[in-house]
Amino acid sequence: MFKVTNESIEKHRTEALVVGLYEENKELQTIYQQLNDKLNGELDELVQSGDISNHNNSVSKVHTFSLIEAKRIYFIGLGKRDERTVHTVRKAFGKVFKQLSQDRIGQASIQLDSVITGEGQADYVEAIAESMAMAPHQLQTYHTERDEKSIELTNINYLTEQSAGVVEAANTGYALGNGANIARHLVNLPGNLLTASDLATFAENIAAKHNIEIEVFDQAKIEEYGMGALLAVNQGSEEPPRFIVMKYQGKEKWEDPVAFVGKGITFDTGGYSLKPKDGIIGMKMDMGGAASVIGAMDAIGHIKPNENVMALIPATDNMISHTAYKPDDVIVSMSGKTIEVRNTDAEGRLAMADAVTYARQNGAVKIVDVATLTGGVVVALGDQVTGAMTNNDDWLNEIKHASQQVDEPVWQLPYLDVYQKQVRKSHIADLNNSPGRKAHAVMAGCFVGAFAEDTPWVHLDIAGTAMADSEHDLGPKGPTGVMARTLAKAMMNVK
Ligand code: BES
Ligand code: MN
Ligand code: ZN
């Protein structure tokens, strides 16, 4: 799918040639000059008239009328060269990839040296390939009449003088982007079409593709393990729960695994603490954490980092019926800790609690959980920043570093003793699942953290970031697949 060549720009045959254009010194850009000469100086005129823009994030399409072998040139404005980063380039290319897809172009060539040369080139190539996978991604719809407007871009040729590592970086970036797309697809599926069992089947298919070990626990096995908190959430449902365990072995021996834990609530009604009619819409996305974890495992399956990774997903919906759990119920979690249920809508932390216990009991040396856990984090941080909590700053720094590399911002919330104490306040049990309105994003994290105990743990609340209100540079309105890339990248950073 990715190739590298060092052909001269006039001789290179392609449907679409993508060329980067910076704001200053267009005279000094030899690639631009070469093209301008071949096109009889027309480019200069188009730049002057503004038909070709070098401003960041603008795309200008030019037909070449057979003056060179490439049929069209897509100029991509990259703004000021000294303000360029991997992140600005990833986004700018998102624009161009969307345009190519809309123009139904399946093959294109990127003149890489017009974008970046020298050190750091591989990082840019990786980011561009992420963008290529993610930006034109289209979510599944169920319209009976559909117009097939765009097609998938499948072949990219990089024109560059220094070719070392380019294809590898592109493959890595594409795998990361594709992992995010898998997460988006899962989040997009409505609750009636993605039950806990369906989610498990999907994970099995991903695992089979990469030879990743997988075990799916059914209701009986979940009962055998004593996952009482997960079972309580499932109690009102006709759909049986699932507990998904995936194991990617990147080291010689299965030792010291990192655990990814993803909240897999396939639909959250709130239970007897029922959500209001406006708040319940969109709750098919409550398995966003599970989706990110599965997407990350797919990327990891492609990239094959030297780390052992265990993915754990407690999956169920949260329903109401005469069998459902209720406020005031006291339940026994897998850890043995008892929990007073004050709010059946604080179900995510219950399901997560048993998964975190499973991680600890199965040798996880580090845990990172991803969950659409609270409305509170949406109020606090909005839709651009994921809320983080930790009991171990080094582990959080590893996750943060990865999140910065792929431009998925996270911000730390306080995991303080005074707050940890509040989830332990109950006259009838060890913990309570909902201490109240104050700092409730933090309370949710503290609750999960109580089960991590002293194992290094990072909590990522993606309730705000899992969905985009509108189309953006790297994808459509709707599920973002956030944290799939961060998790995979964090495992790649292991030496
Ligand atoms: N799944 C929700 C959190 C959520 C809210 C995700 C909005 C995405 C968008 C979670 O299970 C929930 O209901 N949380 C409650 C907790 C409360 C009852 C303590 C909340 O945030 O209101
Ligand atoms: Mn809920
Ligand atoms: Zn929920």
mmCIF file with all atom_site columns, all heavy atoms in Angstrom, residues 263 268 286 347, ligand 3:
data_model
loop_
_atom_site.group_PDB
_atom_site.id
_atom_site.type_symbol
_atom_site.label_atom_id
_atom_site.label_alt_id
_atom_site.label_comp_id
_atom_site.label_asym_id
_atom_site.label_entity_id
_atom_site.label_seq_id
_atom_site.pdbx_PDB_ins_code
_atom_site.Cartn_x
_atom_site.Cartn_y
_atom_site.Cartn_z
_atom_site.occupancy
_atom_site.B_iso_or_equiv
_atom_site.pdbx_formal_charge
_atom_site.auth_seq_id
_atom_site.auth_comp_id
_atom_site.auth_asym_id
_atom_site.auth_atom_id
_atom_site.pdbx_PDB_model_num
ATOM   1  N  N   . LYS A 1 263 ? -14.223 0.281  29.678 1.00 0.00 ? 263 LYS A N   1
ATOM   2  C  CA  . LYS A 1 263 ? -15.638 0.203  30.062 1.00 0.00 ? 263 LYS A CA  1
ATOM   3  C  C   . LYS A 1 263 ? -16.485 -0.209 28.861 1.00 0.00 ? 263 LYS A C   1
ATOM   4  O  O   . LYS A 1 263 ? -16.507 0.472  27.842 1.00 0.00 ? 263 LYS A O   1
ATOM   5  C  CB  . LYS A 1 263 ? -16.109 1.564  30.600 1.00 0.00 ? 263 LYS A CB  1
ATOM   6  C  CG  . LYS A 1 263 ? -17.612 1.637  30.893 1.00 0.00 ? 263 LYS A CG  1
ATOM   7  C  CD  . LYS A 1 263 ? -18.013 2.971  31.535 1.00 0.00 ? 263 LYS A CD  1
ATOM   8  C  CE  . LYS A 1 263 ? -19.533 3.102  31.649 1.00 0.00 ? 263 LYS A CE  1
ATOM   9  N  NZ  . LYS A 1 263 ? -19.962 4.402  32.208 1.00 0.00 ? 263 LYS A NZ  1
ATOM   10 N  N   . ASP A 1 268 ? -26.434 2.466  28.328 1.00 0.00 ? 268 ASP A N   1
ATOM   11 C  CA  . ASP A 1 268 ? -26.613 2.881  29.723 1.00 0.00 ? 268 ASP A CA  1
ATOM   12 C  C   . ASP A 1 268 ? -27.927 3.651  29.883 1.00 0.00 ? 268 ASP A C   1
ATOM   13 O  O   . ASP A 1 268 ? -28.013 4.827  29.546 1.00 0.00 ? 268 ASP A O   1
ATOM   14 C  CB  . ASP A 1 268 ? -25.419 3.763  30.134 1.00 0.00 ? 268 ASP A CB  1
ATOM   15 C  CG  . ASP A 1 268 ? -25.499 4.201  31.593 1.00 0.00 ? 268 ASP A CG  1
ATOM   16 O  OD1 . ASP A 1 268 ? -26.343 3.663  32.348 1.00 0.00 ? 268 ASP A OD1 1
ATOM   17 O  OD2 . ASP A 1 268 ? -24.699 5.080  31.983 1.00 0.00 ? 268 ASP A OD2 1
ATOM   18 N  N   . ASP A 1 286 ? -21.494 4.240  25.494 1.00 0.00 ? 286 ASP A N   1
ATOM   19 C  CA  . ASP A 1 286 ? -20.933 3.980  26.823 1.00 0.00 ? 286 ASP A CA  1
ATOM   20 C  C   . ASP A 1 286 ? -19.969 2.787  26.849 1.00 0.00 ? 286 ASP A C   1
ATOM   21 O  O   . ASP A 1 286 ? -19.480 2.400  27.906 1.00 0.00 ? 286 ASP A O   1
ATOM   22 C  CB  . ASP A 1 286 ? -22.063 3.802  27.848 1.00 0.00 ? 286 ASP A CB  1
ATOM   23 C  CG  . ASP A 1 286 ? -21.686 4.337  29.212 1.00 0.00 ? 286 ASP A CG  1
ATOM   24 O  OD1 . ASP A 1 286 ? -20.684 5.075  29.307 1.00 0.00 ? 286 ASP A OD1 1
ATOM   25 O  OD2 . ASP A 1 286 ? -22.387 3.993  30.185 1.00 0.00 ? 286 ASP A OD2 1
ATOM   26 N  N   . GLU A 1 347 ? -22.820 2.971  37.185 1.00 0.00 ? 347 GLU A N   1
ATOM   27 C  CA  . GLU A 1 347 ? -22.606 1.549  36.907 1.00 0.00 ? 347 GLU A CA  1
ATOM   28 C  C   . GLU A 1 347 ? -21.225 1.256  36.345 1.00 0.00 ? 347 GLU A C   1
ATOM   29 O  O   . GLU A 1 347 ? -20.682 0.173  36.544 1.00 0.00 ? 347 GLU A O   1
ATOM   30 C  CB  . GLU A 1 347 ? -23.681 1.047  35.935 1.00 0.00 ? 347 GLU A CB  1
ATOM   31 C  CG  . GLU A 1 347 ? -23.411 1.273  34.437 1.00 0.00 ? 347 GLU A CG  1
ATOM   32 C  CD  . GLU A 1 347 ? -23.268 2.741  34.033 1.00 0.00 ? 347 GLU A CD  1
ATOM   33 O  OE1 . GLU A 1 347 ? -23.796 3.602  34.749 1.00 0.00 ? 347 GLU A OE1 1
ATOM   34 O  OE2 . GLU A 1 347 ? -22.612 3.018  33.006 1.00 0.00 ? 347 GLU A OE2 1
HETATM 35 ZN ZN  . ZN  B 2 .   ? -22.298 4.682  31.986 1.00 0.00 ? 3   ZN  B ZN  1
#
